[in-house]
Amino acid sequence: MMAAPDVMKNVQPKLSGLEKGTRTLNLAGHVGFDSLPDQLVNKSVAQGFCFNILCVGETGIGKSTLMDTLFNTHFNSSPSTHDLPGVKLKGHSYELQESNVRLKLTVVDSVGFGDQIDKSDSYKSIVEFIDKQFENYLQEELKIKRNIHIYHDTRIHTCLYFIAPTGHSLKSLDLVTMKALDSKVNIIPVIAKADTITKVELHKFKMKIMSELVSNGVQIYQFPTEDETVADLNSTMNSHLPFAVVGSTEEVKVGNKMVKARQYPWGTVQVENENHCDFVKLREMLVRTNMEDLREQTHNRHYELYRRCKLQEMGFSDNDSMSLTESYTQKHTQHIAELQKKEDEMTQMFVVRVKEKEQDLKEAEKELHSKFDNLKKQHAEEKKKLEDQKRHLEEQMNLFGKKKAVTLQAQQQAQLQAQQAATMGKGRKK
């Protein structure tokens, strides 16, 4: 409610006279503002809560079964094939209610993760999906008329990373993916299908995983130890990471009661038996103890990091000498100047290209004129040749006509002489 003057000075240097004169007073009777926590609880319960879980793991590793077991229900999920060309993020939202508390739960599955031959880009789709949710929330915050209280927050609050129970070491894909996600989401590694390896192998596998995560600089989510009420519990649970889990929605009769278990020819693995697996520890830490801390870490750490980077890209900074309006005005002026510069460059480029085009058109026109003159000259020459040939043919036709007339005249004279001779011959015989 109050702070010492030196602390207040460090937190906020520019204080008004009223704030500088803050004093501590003792109340003479009950006022009632001690009911503020109850008011906050009632308001939060009335609004409801949201929690978003991202499940990352290879196809068939047991992600959907574990989610069904965690929340004691059956979510809509369908098995996927191993021949998908890439990783696809598929989310489903559900309205859950326990007592008078309503929870909007979103479960996002990484369909096709680790199924491709080239797995080098498998994590990129997941990173893009997480950033997209941050961007949507940031856009809602930047609106003039905001509706944060009714906005469906789709930011990922925790990532359950499912590790195959190989018993040896982490795959390169696991290390690369977790390294890419650790600054964007709270990662809780879990060893899936932990009933497939022995307890000794499981203990060694856990130590090997934590050693590899530390050596590769992967920051996983650590359960908070600041709150004294859960400090011991969370500190103990941090030493159990990664959790070795077994999921099952089938109930098997063990003794006189029905329990969730997986039944094998050699025995029964009870899901909620801490001697068999760490399912109870995971549920306790994820749902019952640290759900609100996961939500706060998402908002105060991961989202703030994304928001800060985005605002810095937009030109904003924490410079105390410049207000938000001044920073916006400066960025707007710079933006207008850049636009003007780009416009001038485009105009200059357009002018240059127009001149080049005009030059090309002039050259093309000159070439066309040259071709036209050549064609005209060739046409004139061809025309002269045709006229000469026509005149020559006409002279030959005239000469042929004269020769034909002379020949016809000679033939006629010959026929006439022959007739006269024949007539004279007949007269002599008589």
Side-chain angles (χ1 to χ4, degrees), residues 360-370:
D360 294 339
L361 290 175
K362 288 181 180 179
E363 293 179 356
E365 184 179 5
K366 185 178 179 181
E367 185 177 354
L368 286 175
H369 280 300
S370 177

Side-chain angles (χ1 to χ4, degrees), residues 257-300:
K257 61 180 181 178
M258 301 296 291
V259 296
K260 290 184 175 64
R262 299 185 71 89
Q263 199 165 21
Y264 297 96
W266 45 264
T268 302
V269 178
Q270 299 178 33
V271 173
E272 296 181 331
N273 188 335
E274 295 192 46
N275 293 323
H276 292 183
C277 69
D278 296 332
F279 172 80
V280 174
K281 295 182 177 66
L282 174 63
R283 184 179 61 189
E284 184 74 22
M285 292 295 97
L286 180 65
V287 180
R288 299 180 180 178
T289 306
N290 299 299
M291 180 178 284
E292 181 58 25
D293 184 74
L294 288 166
R295 286 156 42 91
E296 289 181 358
Q297 285 288 327
T298 299
H299 181 79
N300 297 331

Side-chain angles (χ1 to χ4, degrees), residues 182-408:
D182 63 357
S183 62
K184 298 180 178 296
V185 69
N186 302 311
I187 300 176
I188 300 178
V190 295
I191 302 173
K193 299 183 177 180
D195 54 341
T196 59
I197 54 179
T198 65
K199 283 190 175 182
V200 176
E201 291 174 336
L202 186 59
H203 180 69
K204 292 181 179 179
F205 190 34
K206 283 187 175 185
M207 295 179 61
K208 181 67 173 177
I209 290 174
M210 294 305 297
S211 175
E212 290 182 343
L213 292 177
V214 172
S215 61
N216 287 276
V218 178
Q219 301 292 328
I220 63 173
Y221 175 73
Q222 294 290 318
F223 303 117
T225 57
E226 292 81 9
D227 188 354
E228 295 181 357
T229 58
V230 294
D232 294 338
L233 176 61
N234 283 347
S235 179
T236 302
M237 290 303 173
N238 282 329
S239 62
H240 287 280
L241 290 172
F243 293 130
V245 297
V246 176
S248 176
T249 56
E250 298 179 2
E251 292 191 349
V252 178
K253 188 173 183 180
V254 177
N256 296 325
K257 61 180 181 178
M258 301 296 291
V259 296
K260 290 184 175 64
R262 299 185 71 89
Q263 199 165 21
Y264 297 96
W266 45 264
T268 302
V269 178
Q270 299 178 33
V271 173
E272 296 181 331
N273 188 335
E274 295 192 46
N275 293 323
H276 292 183
C277 69
D278 296 332
F279 172 80
V280 174
K281 295 182 177 66
L282 174 63
R283 184 179 61 189
E284 184 74 22
M285 292 295 97
L286 180 65
V287 180
R288 299 180 180 178
T289 306
N290 299 299
M291 180 178 284
E292 181 58 25
D293 184 74
L294 288 166
R295 286 156 42 91
E296 289 181 358
Q297 285 288 327
T298 299
H299 181 79
N300 297 331
R301 179 187 171 193
H302 301 296
Y303 170 70
E304 282 300 319
L305 177 61
Y306 178 85
R307 176 179 173 275
R308 182 167 65 250
C309 293
K310 275 294 181 180
L311 292 180
Q312 287 176 351
E313 289 178 4
M314 296 169 63
F316 297 104
S317 64
D318 292 332
N319 189 1
D320 295 333
S321 62
M322 186 178 297
S323 65
L324 181 63
T325 304
E326 292 173 345
S327 179
Y328 173 78
T329 304
Q330 181 181 4
K331 186 62 180 178
H332 180 71
T333 304
Q334 292 177 356
H335 181 65
I336 295 298
E338 291 177 358
L339 289 178
Q340 186 63 40
K341 183 180 179 181
K342 289 182 179 179
E343 184 179 356
D344 294 340
E345 291 177 354
M346 293 180 65
T347 303
Q348 186 177 1
M349 185 181 299
F350 177 76
V351 171
V352 171
R353 289 188 176 180
V354 168
K355 289 182 178 180
E356 292 177 353
K357 195 66 177 178
E358 288 179 350
Q359 185 66 27
D360 294 339
L361 290 175
K362 288 181 180 179
E363 293 179 356
E365 184 179 5
K366 185 178 179 181
E367 185 177 354
L368 286 175
H369 280 300
S370 177
K371 288 182 179 180
F372 177 75
D373 293 338
N374 292 333
L375 289 175
K376 189 176 180 181
K377 184 177 180 181
Q378 291 177 2
H379 176 71
E381 293 176 354
E382 292 291 336
K383 185 178 180 180
K384 184 179 179 181
K385 288 180 180 179
L386 290 174
E387 289 177 352
D388 293 341
Q389 290 179 358
K390 180 180 179 181
R391 187 171 55 256
H392 180 67
L393 289 174
E394 287 177 351
E395 291 177 354
Q396 288 183 346
M397 288 177 65
N398 293 330
L399 181 61
F400 177 76
K402 291 179 180 179
K403 290 181 178 180
K404 183 178 180 182
V406 172
T407 303
L408 289 174

Side-chain angles (χ1 to χ4, degrees), residues 23 29 53 64 76 95 103 148 174 178 181 298 363 367 371 404:
R23 297 179 299 165
I53 302 176
S64 300
N76 297 329
E95 290 281 353
L103 177 68
I148 296 296
D174 298 331
M178 282 193 277
L181 297 179
T298 299
E363 293 179 356
E367 185 177 354
K371 288 182 179 180
K404 183 178 180 182

